[in-house]
Amino acid sequence: MLALQAYISSDEENDNFSHLDVTDINPEYSVQKQLQICAAPTVVPTGSQECMQHIDPQCKEVMHNPKYTELFAPILGPENPFLTQQMKANKNMLSGYIEAAHMSEFQFENQRRTFNSFGYALDPTIDGTGVEGSSYVGSVDTAKDTNGKTVFESTKLRPLDKRKRQRNNNPEDVEGFLGPWGGFVDEQRVMKPTEEEAVELQELLSKRHKRGKQVEEKPIEEKSVLHIKDSVDYQGRSFLHPPHDVGVNLKSDTPPDRCFLPKSHIHTWSGHTKGIAAIRWFPRSAHLLLSASMDCRIKLWEVYNERRCVRTYYGHRQAVRDINFNNCGKQFLSAAYDRYIKLWDTETGRVISRFTSRKIPYCVKFNPDKNKQHLFVAGTSDKKIICWDIRSGDIVQEYDRHLGAVNTITFVDEHRRFVTTSDDKSLRVWEWDIPVDMKYIADPTMHSMPAVTPAPNGKWLACQSMDNKIVIFSALNRFKMNRKKTFTGHMVAGYACTLDFSPDMSYLVSGDADGKCYIWDWKTTKLYKKWKAHDNVCINVLWHPHEPSKLVTAGWDGVIKYWD
């Protein structure tokens, strides 16, 4: 303000600033020299490069209002020497630079229809002015022949365009009126196959009809042959009565104190002509052995004394898949590939009743509960578990939750629940008579488990897994897999080789695909012994419930062997 004092000229204004006396100001402290007014400052001319505010290309936010020229100015500064040609290219989208281009709807539709009708169209990457013939896509030869005419220009008629239509547009002619539906004069509505094609079609149709037809098979003759002369002993007791003169108490409920590994082969039961599918001990006493084979027969063998074949049961048209005794052993069920489940009288060999659901039963089990001995369940090829009542022959319950054929049924938890495994690689737990699974165990690492055996103490389930392992599940409430107990070393992939525990639960035994028999220690999962038991697959193994070291194996070579 003091520096501006020199600009004031009027006298009256002098009075206003009379109190501002400048004469006594020390020049040392004055800013007068600094506030000198520059009459001609240096000005940057507008429009030049210097007056533009440059914006970083990577900038995400601009705090001022830039002009068009600033936004689209060329990039300045040092170039990145490492950028490729592609990275240097100007892009406004991920794959390149896109520009709006106009094309009339008529032209687009014209070219599309021309391509559909004649098979050629103008190449959209060229604007029609190129080398003649090369500016088309599709059938260039056709384009040359028609001189590139489109569907909107008149072209020569195609061969089939010349056909005459049958016309009758007279609405009074009710019977003969054709309207727009009149066909062509020489049109063949019914196309007949040539002679060769007709023969092929006939063969195909006959095959289909054969496959679809339910052939009503005549019931096969069901008979049974007794092979021993003395069906009753001197007291009139049948062969179902356990013997007392064998040195072992066959009626005891306590297992042997200590089990040992079998060392030698002591007997062979032969009589089946094909591989054996299943073997079962007679309940409680195990003095008889029942075997089912692929030769459609079921045989009952003595385990003690002379070890003869007691009885043969004939009644299935195809291979027998599974067998199961009821609690007392007086009756047993057999399931076969002829889709029938039959209930047999063990002693007389008579068929008591037949059951079928028109599907193949893969496994069959009586309910072990003594009050439910009239009920049995069967796992079938159509993913269902069906419960039958043998008194009425009716289906009383269906458990239909699996996604593959049902392979095994195992009762647990004092027979209140049962566990099923299936080709869908899952394990399901069911409450009896409730058709919804209470537990579903499936894991991407799990394989199909076609053989399951409960431990004698009822706490564990040993499952033969198709990845050459035996996996153990807890059979109480949680049904959790015991990861620490896995038994390996054998080869079973593709075969439902069964497994069994020794009665004192110190060993686990299994067959394998090479005909070997393997024994592991239950506590340490260590492989104790393996030996060649059969010439073909060793499909079944059973440890005798009353003998400390006796073992039965059955194979696809048709023989059953006894080891001690």
Side-chain angles (χ1 to χ4, degrees):
M1 290 300 291
L2 297 176
L4 292 173
Q5 199 179 353
Y7 285 88
I8 299 165
S9 58
S10 73
D11 295 333
E12 44 280 49
E13 284 175 357
N14 274 350
D15 303 335
N16 298 339
F17 295 97
S18 58
H19 63 282
L20 294 170
D21 193 11
V22 262
T23 52
D24 56 347
I25 289 173
N26 190 347
E28 194 181 334
Y29 304 111
S30 171
V31 285
Q32 192 173 355
K33 286 175 185 165
Q34 294 171 25
L35 291 171
Q36 283 177 349
I37 290 166
C38 177
T42 51
V43 179
V44 179
T46 56
S48 66
Q49 284 290 334
E50 287 89 3
C51 78
M52 282 171 60
Q53 265 185 300
H54 294 292
I55 301 164
D56 182 10
Q58 264 71 46
C59 182
K60 294 275 190 287
E61 188 180 354
V62 180
M63 302 301 286
H64 66 287
N65 197 5
K67 290 183 180 175
Y68 171 85
T69 48
E70 288 178 15
L71 280 174
F72 290 91
I75 296 171
L76 300 176
E79 247 186 25
N80 184 347
F82 302 109
L83 289 182
T84 61
Q85 204 71 28
Q86 197 178 358
M87 291 156 96
K88 279 182 195 170
N90 193 11
K91 291 183 183 181
N92 63 356
M93 60 176 287
L94 196 64
S95 56
Y97 191 84
I98 194 163
E99 286 180 0
H102 176 72
M103 186 174 193
S104 77
E105 202 174 335
F106 167 76
Q107 283 298 344
F108 181 83
E109 199 60 22
N110 187 5
Q111 294 301 327
R112 187 182 70 76
R113 289 188 185 180
T114 306
F115 191 81
N116 279 355
S117 299
F118 302 138
Y120 63 85
L122 278 175
D123 189 343
T125 55
I126 298 165
D127 54 4
T129 61
V131 184
E132 189 65 38
S134 64
S135 59
Y136 288 98
V137 287
S139 173
V140 181
D141 297 339
T142 317
K144 279 181 185 170
D145 295 344
T146 57
N147 291 327
K149 282 191 175 175
T150 63
V151 284
F152 287 95
E153 299 167 71
S154 58
T155 53
K156 286 180 190 172
L157 287 173
R158 291 168 296 184
L160 292 174
D161 291 342
K162 293 176 185 171
R163 293 193 295 175
K164 283 185 181 171
R165 277 185 175 277
Q166 291 171 340
R167 295 188 188 282
N168 181 1
N169 295 337
N170 181 13
E172 290 173 359
D173 183 3
V174 177
E175 294 295 320
F177 177 73
L178 294 173
W181 300 281
F184 295 105
V185 176
D186 55 347
E187 185 178 6
Q188 273 189 316
R189 284 289 170 95
V190 183
M191 296 292 284
K192 283 190 177 174
T194 60
E195 284 182 16
E196 289 174 9
E197 287 172 335
V199 172
E200 269 182 46
L201 282 168
Q202 197 58 44
E203 277 178 23
L204 227 159
L205 285 170
S206 60
K207 270 184 195 169
R208 272 194 198 153
H209 285 312
K210 261 185 206 168
R211 198 179 302 158
K213 210 188 292 177
Q214 280 287 346
V215 181
E216 281 302 321
E217 293 173 338
K218 297 187 194 84
I220 190 170
E221 185 198 355
E222 293 155 342
K223 60 174 187 178
S224 175
V225 177
L226 185 70
H227 300 291
I228 53 174
K229 293 186 181 78
D230 46 339
S231 60
V232 290
D233 62 4
Y234 68 98
Q235 286 185 325
R237 298 175 299 193
S238 76
F239 53 80
L240 299 187
H241 191 271
H244 295 291
D245 54 348
V246 292
V248 179
N249 180 9
L250 295 178
K251 288 187 176 177
S252 79
D253 290 328
T254 53
D257 296 334
R258 178 141 183 264
C259 289
F260 306 96
L261 298 176
K263 289 186 172 63
S264 59
H265 173 215
I266 53 172
H267 186 71
T268 301
W269 288 285
S270 54
H272 285 297
T273 55
K274 287 186 182 170
I276 286 157
I279 51 173
R280 298 282 178 269
W281 291 122
F282 190 83
R284 280 198 66 190
S285 62
H287 70 288
L288 297 170
L289 181 72
L290 190 69
S291 67
S293 165
M294 297 174 199
D295 59 7
C296 316
R297 292 178 196 144
I298 302 158
K299 287 181 183 282
L300 189 67
W301 314 84
E302 284 181 332
V303 178
Y304 291 99
N305 302 329
E306 294 173 53
R307 299 187 176 127
R308 301 167 292 182
C309 177
V310 181
R311 206 180 248 292
T312 304
Y313 306 86
Y314 302 86
H316 284 291
R317 202 180 290 277
Q318 289 183 39
V320 185
R321 166 79 189 221
D322 197 18
I323 42 177
N324 186 242
F325 277 110
N326 66 356
N327 282 3
C328 61
K330 287 180 179 168
Q331 296 174 351
F332 71 87
L333 288 164
S334 66
Y337 284 100
D338 59 4
R339 297 184 168 86
Y340 275 95
I341 298 169
K342 298 196 176 180
L343 180 67
W344 302 79
D345 186 303
T346 315
E347 192 178 333
T348 63
R350 188 173 59 87
V351 173
I352 300 162
S353 46
R354 300 153 200 83
F355 310 90
T356 181
S357 66
R358 296 220 171 276
K359 292 287 179 283
I360 299 169
Y362 282 153
C363 52
V364 64
K365 272 268 164 72
F366 269 107
N367 187 323
D369 193 320
K370 64 177 187 292
N371 301 322
K372 296 194 180 84
Q373 281 285 286
H374 56 279
L375 298 172
F376 75 87
V377 279
T380 60
S381 58
D382 67 340
K383 315 168 193 174
K384 287 181 185 165
I385 299 141
I386 299 173
C387 178
W388 268 281
D389 189 328
I390 60 173
R391 299 171 301 188
S392 63
D394 296 335
I395 292 173
V396 291
Q397 185 63 276
E398 274 191 11
Y399 306 83
D400 183 10
R401 304 277 285 183
H402 273 294
L403 307 173
V406 181
N407 289 325
T408 67
I409 299 170
T410 313
F411 281 86
V412 293
D413 194 16
E414 294 171 358
H415 322 314
R416 290 193 292 259
R417 297 173 179 164
F418 62 95
V419 175
T420 59
T421 63
S422 154
D423 285 348
D424 62 9
K425 303 180 183 178
S426 73
L427 182 141
R428 288 176 199 254
V429 187
W430 314 76
E431 296 274 357
W432 177 257
D433 217 15
I434 297 173
V436 180
D437 41 354
M438 61 159 279
K439 197 156 184 75
Y440 166 65
I441 299 165
D443 188 80
T445 60
M446 270 169 68
H447 286 66
S448 178
M449 297 179 291
V452 177
T453 303
N457 62 10
K459 287 183 185 173
W460 305 101
L461 289 174
C463 308
Q464 189 78 266
S465 178
M466 284 292 93
D467 55 347
N468 301 326
K469 283 180 190 158
I470 296 171
V471 288
I472 308 296
F473 287 89
S474 131
L476 306 170
N477 53 47
R478 293 280 312 277
F479 292 94
K480 196 165 172 274
M481 188 194 286
N482 188 341
R483 305 252 175 212
K484 288 179 185 167
K485 272 206 195 312
T486 307
F487 300 85
T488 55
H490 59 321
M491 259 286 298
V492 286
Y495 299 92
C497 298
T498 62
L499 31 88
D500 198 18
F501 288 88
S502 64
D504 68 343
M505 268 202 72
S506 54
Y507 303 114
L508 182 69
V509 58
S510 165
D512 108 318
D514 299 332
K516 294 193 182 81
C517 186
Y518 287 74
I519 299 181
W520 293 267
D521 181 44
W522 167 252
K523 282 200 177 77
T524 62
T525 73
K526 208 161 75 179
L527 179 62
Y528 268 179
K529 187 168 185 180
K530 65 169 180 179
W531 73 94
K532 180 85 171 163
H534 292 272
D535 297 333
N536 209 321
V537 182
C538 177
I539 200 78
N540 282 285
V541 285
L542 285 177
W543 202 298
H544 198 289
H546 300 292
E547 300 273 6
S549 64
K550 286 195 173 136
L551 190 70
V552 168
T553 62
W556 281 7
D557 51 2
V559 296
I560 304 166
K561 293 185 180 178
Y562 201 24
W563 309 83
D564 187 10

